[in-house]
C-alpha cells in the first residue's frame, strides 16, 4: 500500500456490464448534447502523463461520442490517502474507483471516450491533498474530480473544488464540516451524514429490555471530524435515555499505544464502548482490551470493521460481536452489486472480503456516470445541478441529495458473527442476514 505519486492507466477489458445496460439512473431526465466546458477541452489535450487505454480513431463529435476530442480520454483527478494512517480505507476506495473505470471502459467509455484516473498519493495529509487538488485543476487540467478518503481531507479539498466549480463527488466525507459552508458542488455518496451513522446501534441498544440494557458507556475517540460527529450524536441520545457516560477521551490520529486508554476504560466499568475510530486504532483498541481481559457487553466502531479483509486478518476471531454502521454489505441485493462483486474479485482475486470503502468508491463512479449520461456533458455545473435534483441507484441503494450535498437515507447496523459481517438491523432491510448478538462473546 505504499505508493508514490503516479497516474493510473486502466486498460480496456471485458464486455458491456449488466448494471450499465440496466442504467444507473433511476430518475434521469436526459438532456440534449452539450458543448464541453473550457476546462474539459483543455484537460483532454493537456494531460501528457496520462495514456489512453484504447483511443477511438474518431476525434470529432458523433452520436456515440458527443464531446470531442473522441480520441482522447476523459481524465478524472484524485488525491487519495494511499500511504499514512488512512491508507487502508484510502486504498480500498481507490480500488473501487479502479473497478468502475475498468467497467466503464469495457462498456465503451464515458460518452464514447475512455476514462483514466490521474491520481496522487496525499500520504493522509490534508495540506498535501489540498495542493494536489489545486494542481489537478490548474496544472493537470483534469475534466472531473473524485474525492479522497475521510472528512479530514474532504473538508479542505472540497473548498478547492468549489472555488473552481468542479463537481466533487466523494464517498468518505460526511462530517458536518463538509456541509456547513453550504457548497453547491460537493456530494457525499453514502446513505446519511456522520451524525447519523450510529443511529441504528443506538436504536438497537435502547430497544433492549430494561433488565438487559447497559447502564454505562465509554467513548474513546480519535481527533477526527467524522468520528466526533458520530460519537457526539450517539452519546447525547444515550445520555438522554439514562445511559451514563463514564469515560470520554479524544486521542490524536498518530496514537498507536492504547494500553493506558484500555486500562482507563476497564477501570470506568463501562458496560458498552463506542469507539470513534478510523482503522488502525480500532484494531489496536481491541487488542488492548483483550490483553487485559476487558469484556464489554457491546462494542461499536465508527470505521475499521467495514474495511473487512484487513480488519479480519488483524483480529481473527476477536472480530466476533463487533458492531459498526455502514451502507453496504458484500451480499447486498442492490441493483448491480453482484456484477460489482464479480468484477472486484476478478481485478483483486486475493481480496475475498471486499471492503465497504471499495463499494463507496465504486458508487462515486456510478453517480458520476448517471449525471454525465443524463446531461450529455462534462460541464461540472450542469453535473452538479442535475445531482441536486435526481437520486441515483448505487450498490449502496438509491442515494439523493439536498441543496448542500447531504444524502437523505439511513445506515445499516452490521455485526461480525462467526467471522463474517452481517446486516443485523433494521429488521425489514432486504439484506438483513442475522439477528444482533448481545452481549457479545468474549475475546
Amino acid at each position: 500500500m505504499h505508493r508514490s505519486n503516479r497516474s493510473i492507466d486502466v486498460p480496456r477489458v471485458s464486455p458491456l456490464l449488466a448494471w450499465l445496460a440496466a442504467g444507473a439512473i433511476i430518475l434521469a431526465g436526459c438532456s440534449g448534447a452539450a458543448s464541453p466546458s473550457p476546462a474539459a477541452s483543455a484537460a483532454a489535450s493537456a494531460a501528457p502523463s496520462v495514456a489512453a487505454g484504447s483511443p477511438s480513431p474518431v476525434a470529432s463529435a458523433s452520436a456515440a461520442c458527443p464531446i470531442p476530442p473522441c480520441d482522447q480520454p476523459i481524465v478524472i483527478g484524485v488525491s487519495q490517502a494511499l500511504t499514512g494512517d488512512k491508507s487502508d480505507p484510502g486504498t480500498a476506495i481507490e480500488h473501487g474507483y479502479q473497478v468502475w473505470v475498468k467497467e466503464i471502459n469495457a462498456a465503451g467509455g464515458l460518452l464514447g471516450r475512455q476514462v483514466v484516473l490521474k491520481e496522487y498519493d496525499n500520504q493522509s495529509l490534508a495540506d498535501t491533498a489540498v495542493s494536489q487538488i489545486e494542481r489537478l485543476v490548474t496544472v493537470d487540467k483534469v475534466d472531473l474530480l473524485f474525492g479522497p478518503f475521510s472528512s479530514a481531507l474532504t473538508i479542505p479539498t472540497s473548498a478547492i473544488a468549489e472555488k473552481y466549480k468542479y463537481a466533487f463527488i466523494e464517498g468518505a466525507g460526511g462530517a458536518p464540516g463538509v456541509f456547513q459552508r453550504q457548497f453547491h458542488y460537493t456530494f457525499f455518496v453514502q446513505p446519511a451524514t456522520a451524525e447519523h451513522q450510529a443511529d441504528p446501534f443506538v436504536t438497537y441498544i435502547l430497544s433492549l429490555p430494561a433488565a438487559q440494557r447497559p447502564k454505562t458507556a465509554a467513548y474513546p475517540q480519535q481527533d477526527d471530524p467524522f468520528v466526533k460527529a458520530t460519537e457526539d450524536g450517539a452519546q447525547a441520545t444515550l445520555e438522554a435515555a439514562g445511559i451514563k457516560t463514564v469515560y470520554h477521551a479524544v486521542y490524536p490520529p498518530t496514537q498507536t499505544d492504547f494500553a493506558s486508554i484500555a486500562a482507563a476504560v476497564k477501570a470506568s466499568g463501562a458496560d458498552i464502548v463506542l469507539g470513534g475510530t478510523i482503522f488502525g486504532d480500532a484494531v489496536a483498541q481491541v487488542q488492548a482490551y483483550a490483553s487485559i481481559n476487558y469484556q464489554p457487553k457491546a462494542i461499536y466502531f465508527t470505521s475499521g470493521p467495514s474495511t473487512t479483509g484487513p480488519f479480519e486478518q488483524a483480529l481473527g476471531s476477536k472480530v466476533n460481536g463487533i458492531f459498526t454502521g455502514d451502507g453496504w454489505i458484500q451480499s447486498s441485493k442492490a441493483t448491480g452489486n453482484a456484477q460489482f462483486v464479480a468484477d472486484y474479485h476478478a481485478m483483486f482475486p486475493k481480496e475475498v472480503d471486499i471492503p465497504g470503502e471499495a463499494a463507496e468508491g465504486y458508487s462515486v463512479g456510478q453517480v458520476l456516470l448517471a449525471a454525465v449520461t443524463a446531461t450529455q456533458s462534462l460541464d461540472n455545473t450542469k453535473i452538479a445541478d442535475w445531482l441536486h435534483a435526481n437520486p441515483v441507484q448505487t450498490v449502496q441503494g438509491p442515494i439523493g441529495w439536498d441543496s448542500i450535498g447531504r444524502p437523505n437515507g439511513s445506515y445499516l447496523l452490521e455485526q461480525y458473527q462467526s467471522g463474517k459481517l452481517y446486516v443485523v438491523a433494521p429488521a425489514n432491510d432486504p439484506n438483513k442476514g442475522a439477528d444482533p448478538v448481545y452481549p457479545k462473546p468474549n475475546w
Side-chain angles (χ1 to χ4, degrees), residues 178-197:
V178 175
F179 311 105
Q180 286 168 349
R181 296 159 297 177
Q182 302 188 2
F183 286 165
H184 180 74
Y185 290 87
T186 299
F187 299 89
F188 179 44
V189 186
Q190 284 193 34
T193 53
E195 55 267 48
H196 299 294
Q197 196 221 28

Side-chain angles (χ1 to χ4, degrees), residues 168-222:
F168 204 56
I169 305 170
E170 50 90 5
V178 175
F179 311 105
Q180 286 168 349
R181 296 159 297 177
Q182 302 188 2
F183 286 165
H184 180 74
Y185 290 87
T186 299
F187 299 89
F188 179 44
V189 186
Q190 284 193 34
T193 53
E195 55 267 48
H196 299 294
Q197 196 221 28
D199 286 356
F201 176 72
V202 170
T203 298
Y204 167 68
I205 290 296
L206 298 184
S207 74
L208 292 170
Q212 298 179 28
R213 191 178 304 169
K215 294 179 173 55
T216 56
Y219 303 87
Q221 61 187 255
Q222 185 177 139

